[in-house]
Amino acid sequence: MCILKSPVFQVFFFINYIYCEEFNLYGEAGQAYALVINIGHPPQKLHVLVDTGSATLAIAAYARKDSNIYFHKENSTSLYNSGKEVRAKYSQGTWSGTLASDFIHFPSLPTVPEVRSDLALITKSYKFFMNGSGWQGLLGLAYLPVAAWGDSVVVGSWLDFVEKVNARPLSFELKLCGSTSPVNATHYGNLRMFDDRNASEAGEYMFRTPILRKRWYEIGVLAIRVSNSGADRERAANGTRDRNDIDLEECRLINAEKSIVDSGTTGIRMPDAVFRRVVGELRSSARTSSTLVLDEFWYHGEAACWPEPQEWNLPSLAVDILSSEADDRYFTLEIPAQSFMRVISARNKSASSGSVSEFCYKLGLEAAPGTVLGYTAMEGLQVLFNRSGGWIGWRESSCGPAARTSGPSNASGSLLSACGLDRSLPDVNVSIKAAQWTLCAISVVAVAVLVYLLAPCLKMLPVRRSPRCQQISLSQAALVERDT
């Protein structure tokens, strides 16, 4: 769908037609951005959420109460269903199903070939599919360690299968534009994919942050604050807070669990203490305006509705992020009120009794143990995920809310160590090898005990020497058997 931004359609039709962009992502109010997918032969057209907070392509394979649109596995001649059970748990909702593989193609990604990929066929779910959702699955774009799993099996990543076919690593860019007008709750965006050589060129003029751990897209969020708030200006005027300094205690709190970039999450999540400080400052700013907003809206996630669209006269939210240039440098995302005062429904139509209008909003900020930059923090920006290079790039977009990037700024010392961002997690391969060695040691001990107990019996057995040419080690025998 091509969205024309000019308010005077008749005059600027031709200009807008030339410069208008083809969007391949869309979503209804309160939902993330979805992409059209074709699965199997003959292809079945479905919609999947683009999720940087998981790594599995998971598809509904059963009819649900609120939707009878799903993948009919019996209609695909190319489907291989292993029957092995897999499952996944998210911050909201769970599902279980079976591991399968089939041909996957995205019509709006012309540079990406059709590939046979692992996928999970969802046969049971709990609070996973939202009521009335226009999507039937999830496209996980994170790293394999956070993929769905089962007993002795892990669902492979679609991105990994594509990279094997292309024989080179891929990057992707999300351009999330939000809704096109105050009276429309549907939001639009664009997903592009390209190899990392082009991604490096595209990222030259971006602010970059390092991916600290390749599971989710885990980054260093240094501070979340209200930009240009009265309290912030007062602290700066009194000299109690330098503009370029980071509150290290709060920085450690923000990153105590993890800080991730997750397009599958709606709002911006932060620890409770940070949430209450930020919301308190926003609430104080709102009091100076003529718009009445109750505490239930600010602190309890309840919606607030008005008969006309609201123009929020609130300060922006500033998110300071660690820079890839140096560990004492950071940049800032400035997120306008239009982004975090989210429209969840917009209705303006005529009825038999006259004009009916209702515009409802929810706060796009939440208190949670871990810090998450959901798509609320990405709208109005272009975000480039360079998977192999290990960095995420940010730049201002040509569409969406008036989000801004600024910086870089310098801190007084290393932010990696001061904020606890340099803590190391065991590598997945190392963990697997450690588990293998542990099992090997246990097996050796068990065999030794068994031999000791059976030694008297073994001494009574006749010993027959085998020809030297027939000798073969156990590992060689297993290798030959596996190759055969």
Side-chain angles (χ1 to χ4, degrees), residues 19 40 88 91 139 145 160 169 182 205-206 214 340 345 350 358 362 398 421 433 467 477 482:
Y19 292 100
S91 57
L139 174 63
D160 290 341
Y205 55 94
M206 284 179 158
K214 292 184 177 182
F340 58 80
S345 68
S350 297
E358 185 181 54
K362 287 188 74 172
S398 58
L421 298 172
K433 290 180 179 179
R482 180 177 299 177

Side-chain angles (χ1 to χ4, degrees), residues 227-248:
S227 179
N228 298 323
S229 67
D232 196 31
R233 287 195 298 268
E234 183 178 352
R235 287 194 298 268
N238 295 335
T240 57
R241 181 182 185 275
D242 191 286
R243 184 175 301 174
N244 289 333
D245 276 347
I246 296 293
D247 185 335
L248 298 180

